[in-house]
Amino acid sequence: MSFPPGVTRRDFFMKIGIFFNGIVGVVLAVPIVRYLLSPVARERKAGYESWIPLGNLEQFPSGETRLATYRNPVVNTWDGDTADIACWVRNVDGKTFQVFAINCAHLGCPVRWFPQSNLFMCPCHGGAYYQDGSRASGPPERGLFEYHYRIESGKLLIKAGEMPTPGQASNIVREIRPCA
Amino acid sequence: MRLINSIGEWLDARLQLGSSVRETAEHPVPRETASWFYVFGSAAFVVFLLQIVTGIMLALIYVPSAGEAWNSLQTLNHNVALGWFIRGLHGWGSNFMVAIVLIHMVQVFLFGAYKYPRELTWIVGVFLLLVTLGMAFTGQVLRFDQDAYWGLGIGASIASRVPLMGPSIVNLMLGGPIIAGATLSRFFALHVFVVPGLLIAFVAVHILMVLKLGINEWPMPGRVVRKATYIKDYHELTKKDGIPFVPGAIWKDLFFAAFILLSIAACAWYFGPFGPSGPPDPTIIQTAPRPDYFFLWLYAVLSFLPPSMETPALLIGPVVGILALLLLPFVFGEGEKSWRRRPTAVLTILLAAVSLGTFTRLAEHTPWSPVMDAWSGIPIPSEFLHNRSALERQGALVFQVKQCHNCHSLGEQGGKRGPALDAVAMRLTQDQLIRQVIQGGGNMPAYGKNLSPAETTALVAFLETLHPAGQSPARDASRAVALGTDAGEPPSTDQ
């Protein structure tokens, strides 16, 4: 075997060695990247959301807004309390409901319900929302996040499983338009 | 002594490090750099060593599991001998490290040390600032309490605003759909392996460059940096007027480092460790999360940005800031080093210090947040209720029950979200008060649907009493004319 002038046999083998390591690097990078992206890939395939019962309808009296909690459907045994998620259930008129995410639409802090003034208030940056979830004042750009719900054999179910965030493209959490 | 010497000789015969270490230690530095202004870099390094040691100590007990982390911190605080002190050292060490890195940066900037040929030293320094802040944020997450939990929520909410990729970035950051076990595990990996690895690598390069290029000479007005002549001039300076780094300059570094370590220990001993606050249970919503000290300014900025500015400012602001820091040595690589001849540099530092200080101070008081329990916990001061009619007192009751007090203060008590109402009757007429209460506006919710006409009447009657004694409240002159009543008569309250 002959080499072009100026290239020694050892140079040639070193270059093959580097090339060979490059190939192996790419082969290893594929599973590593796939592993790192697993939280994202999962979302694209099956989605994180499912229908979760919040409790019997009697727990949510007509005309009132009550705190409800549920265990997140995607859960590991070591998640502890963090997989217990809270939400606000508003029974509008006995038949219609609104289920709001606990997270403020500004930066995700937990909003609190004040039945006396019919407002949700956020402790972080002072966002406030009306009882129907629409924005009342403060830094939020929109109303509270609202879960889809359905009623099945006397139980209230919501479609949930992912923390709602302002930039979320998902149509699971629908946007509430401000009233008038 | 002879034994130590012979062991030393035996080791050096094999390691062959002695001569290069001696050469490095005794390399000449300009005489004026043996100054108390030149001690912050080495102090930051020493605090970093303290963080490594105390971090390893904490890792002996800490459990990076969402279900157990908080309990293991309680164990560290209460059940392990001096566990609270080690946590205190690590927490206060983190605050001191950020502070010293910032002071070091200001000193280097004002002394023009980023100019030729030390541009890369500055750039690596900017990376060191970023990874130090990265350590501070990830460390705050490992203290897995309520603040950490909701702080992650804020981080996720910011990340979600990135166009197109936002939701994927959130999933990647949280390791799943919600803040849970996977989130803590990956922040543990970041805080303990990834970011410290970067930090060690950058520190090594940073120090190597300081040794190879020489420490920045004391800036003299008129001694201008020119690429053509600087290196020759610097070598002449160190040859003519240099002293060996050891022991000529290092004794001040040693004194200051010891002083800083002692200060951290004193803070840890007297003030104790940080938290943890309440357990990371998202169903406990009676919480007002706030970030650690060095992120408080950001917390304040986030509440003052108008909604339309927020996403662009959050996503573009940091990029512009970091780019400006990285480009600084290329744009101003030559010229004067002395701060006496660089007024813009001094003003930039002052502006940054005043802005960050102001925002931090504001975030300690959070005037933008409603005081959540003011309506039930803070009574209206009695001077506002003396000699009031039954209707006006009923209005005061409405003021409390409808949570007006959460956002509006009376006698310095209550929320600061809205304007103080001590003298509101001087600013708004009766009609304007009614309109403001019912329709809201100017960042106040509308209460029209939540107040009965009787409640509105009572509330406005109370608000009309809020003016300094002896001064008459605002009145709409035209209204009196339109109604044909005497202008001196108080306006009627029936609407």
Side-chain angles (χ1 to χ4, degrees):
Chain A
M1 193 173 167
S2 72
F3 297 95
V7 178
T8 64
R9 186 171 163 276
R10 283 173 188 167
D11 276 345
F12 179 71
F13 276 120
M14 186 184 79
K15 277 171 189 158
I16 293 209
I18 291 170
F19 178 73
F20 187 51
N21 273 281
I23 301 266
V24 172
V26 171
V27 167
L28 284 177
V30 171
I32 288 174
V33 169
R34 176 65 188 79
Y35 169 81
L36 285 175
L37 290 181
S38 63
V40 181
R42 161 81 192 257
E43 181 200 33
R44 214 174 292 139
K45 211 166 54 184
Y48 286 113
E49 266 132 356
S50 51
W51 288 100
I52 308 154
L54 283 184
N56 293 324
L57 288 182
E58 299 85 68
Q59 286 173 250
F60 309 107
S62 181
E64 290 192 22
T65 300
R66 293 277 171 95
L67 190 72
T69 61
Y70 63 89
R71 188 86 179 155
N72 201 62
V74 183
V75 70
N76 286 309
T77 48
W78 59 90
D79 283 341
D81 294 336
T82 57
D84 293 326
I85 310 290
C87 59
W88 290 108
V89 178
R90 177 187 180 215
N91 184 336
V92 183
D93 54 9
K95 284 175 283 201
T96 342
F97 287 79
Q98 282 187 298
V99 185
F100 305 113
I102 198 77
N103 306 89
C104 180
H106 178 226
L107 288 171
C109 288
V111 294
R112 271 183 247 175
W113 169 245
F114 289 85
Q116 298 81 3
S117 53
N118 286 329
L119 288 174
F120 293 98
M121 292 191 211
C122 178
C124 281
H125 301 100
Y129 307 85
Y130 292 116
Q131 58 180 345
D132 66 349
S134 58
R135 176 189 179 276
S137 76
E141 293 172 75
R142 45 162 293 165
L144 286 173
F145 304 106
E146 192 176 347
Y147 296 110
H148 288 298
Y149 76 92
R150 71 171 195 233
I151 295 164
E152 221 171 71
S153 54
K155 279 191 190 313
L156 181 67
L157 287 84
I158 59 165
K159 193 160 192 197
E162 187 160 10
M163 186 178 80
T165 48
Q168 205 168 36
S170 166
N171 60 356
I172 299 301
V173 179
R174 79 183 171 91
E175 183 168 351
I176 303 157
R177 308 210 182 288
C179 58
Chain B
M1 201 63 206
R2 211 184 305 149
L3 181 70
I4 294 174
N5 274 344
S6 64
I7 291 176
E9 276 164 26
W10 186 91
L11 281 172
D12 195 45
R14 281 145 191 87
L15 287 167
Q16 301 282 333
L17 281 174
S19 62
S20 58
V21 167
R22 204 168 302 123
E23 205 177 299
T24 308
E26 290 171 359
H27 79 281
V29 294
R31 186 175 295 278
E32 312 89 7
T33 63
S35 150
W36 290 110
F37 279 101
Y38 280 66
V39 297
F40 301 112
S42 62
F45 179 68
V46 171
V47 177
F48 177 47
L49 295 181
L50 173 78
Q51 293 302 90
I52 293 179
V53 173
T54 51
I56 293 172
M57 296 293 120
L58 294 179
L60 298 180
I61 305 290
Y62 181 75
V63 183
S65 148
E68 301 298 338
W70 192 83
N71 292 330
S72 72
L73 291 172
Q74 297 293 351
T75 301
L76 266 166
N77 271 2
H78 302 295
N79 295 358
V80 178
L82 291 176
W84 63 271
F85 184 61
I86 302 294
R87 283 200 66 232
L89 284 178
H90 199 67
W92 282 101
S94 135
N95 275 353
F96 270 77
M97 186 162 161
V98 177
I100 292 172
V101 164
L102 286 176
I103 294 170
H104 178 53
M105 201 170 173
V106 168
Q107 182 266 324
V108 159
F109 177 71
L110 288 179
F111 280 52
Y114 57 86
K115 289 175 191 280
Y116 177 84
R118 302 185 180 85
E119 300 96 329
L120 191 60
T121 320
W122 168 266
I123 289 171
V124 173
V126 172
F127 290 141
L128 279 169
L129 173 72
L130 295 177
V131 287
T132 303
L133 290 175
M135 286 303 277
F137 182 77
T138 53
Q140 174 187 326
V141 170
L142 295 199
R143 193 186 63 226
F144 205 55
D145 54 12
Q146 279 175 335
D147 288 349
Y149 180 91
W150 297 107
L152 278 168
I154 291 176
S157 296
I158 293 174
S160 82
R161 293 165 186 238
V162 177
L164 301 174
M165 311 255 292
S168 300
I169 295 175
V170 171
N171 288 141
L172 209 55
M173 175 187 154
L174 301 183
I178 58 166
I179 301 161
T183 317
L184 181 60
S185 294
R186 59 187 49 209
F187 274 87
F188 182 76
L190 285 174
H191 186 78
V192 175
F193 300 110
V194 181
V195 187
L198 291 174
L199 198 44
I200 290 170
F202 287 142
V203 164
V205 175
H206 197 70
I207 293 176
L208 183 74
M209 277 190 289
V210 173
L211 291 173
K212 291 283 176 194
L213 301 171
I215 191 86
N216 185 43
E217 79 282 2
W218 187 275
M220 303 290 268
R223 196 196 276 163
V224 178
V225 178
R226 283 195 197 85
K227 285 185 186 170
T229 55
Y230 178 81
I231 293 190
K232 196 166 125 285
D233 292 348
Y234 182 81
H235 281 298
E236 262 171 35
L237 182 73
T238 52
K239 206 179 283 173
K240 216 171 58 195
D241 195 26
I243 51 170
F245 175 62
V246 178
I250 200 174
W251 70 270
K252 283 181 177 159
D253 291 284
L254 292 172
F255 269 58
F256 187 69
F259 169 71
I260 288 295
L261 288 182
L262 199 63
S263 307
I264 294 172
C267 286
W269 190 266
Y270 284 110
F271 301 113
F274 295 94
S277 66
D281 179 346
T283 62
I284 302 172
I285 61 164
Q286 273 71 23
T287 170
R290 52 166 50 234
D292 279 3
Y293 189 78
F294 280 103
F295 298 102
L296 278 177
W297 64 274
L298 181 63
Y299 178 62
V301 168
L302 286 172
S303 71
F304 284 126
L305 281 172
S308 57
M309 282 282 293
E310 199 161 273
T311 302
L314 279 176
L315 300 181
I316 299 169
V319 178
V320 172
I322 293 167
L323 268 183
L325 287 175
L326 293 179
L327 289 178
L328 174 77
F330 298 107
V331 179
F332 302 105
E334 290 187 302
E336 283 281 355
K337 272 186 176 177
S338 172
W339 65 90
R340 293 170 202 274
R341 298 273 173 94
R342 291 164 56 224
T344 321
V346 176
L347 286 175
T348 308
I349 291 295
L350 285 177
L351 179 69
V354 169
S355 318
L356 290 179
T358 308
F359 281 126
T360 304
R361 184 90 184 119
L362 280 167
E364 284 173 346
H365 296 281
T366 62
W368 51 82
S369 286
V371 177
M372 295 301 223
D373 56 357
W375 68 287
S376 55
I378 303 178
I380 296 175
S382 56
E383 66 259 30
F384 294 99
L385 302 171
H386 267 311
N387 300 324
R388 297 287 177 255
S389 69
L391 179 68
E392 289 157 357
R393 285 188 182 169
Q394 184 62 35
L397 209 56
V398 173
F399 182 84
Q400 288 292 88
V401 168
K402 295 295 178 182
Q403 280 111 11
C404 308
H405 212 171
N406 288 16
C407 291
H408 294 285
S409 67
L410 281 176
E412 300 287 308
Q413 307 246 16
K416 305 267 192 308
R417 170 90 212 169
L421 297 184
D422 300 62
V424 68
M426 303 288 290
R427 287 185 276 115
L428 299 178
T429 64
Q430 185 197 38
D431 283 353
Q432 287 170 326
L433 282 171
I434 293 169
R435 193 203 58 79
Q436 184 64 32
V437 166
I438 289 178
Q439 295 184 4
N443 220 0
M444 172 173 157
Y447 283 81
K449 286 184 187 162
N450 300 324
L451 292 173
S452 67
E455 285 171 329
T456 308
T457 305
L459 179 62
V460 170
F462 170 65
L463 294 176
E464 284 191 281
T465 67
L466 300 176
H467 56 83
Q471 297 192 44
S472 56
R475 254 201 331 262
D476 185 347
S478 67
R479 187 164 177 268
V481 175
L483 295 176
T485 52
D486 181 15
E489 204 178 283
S492 66
T493 46
D494 54 343
Q495 273 293 308

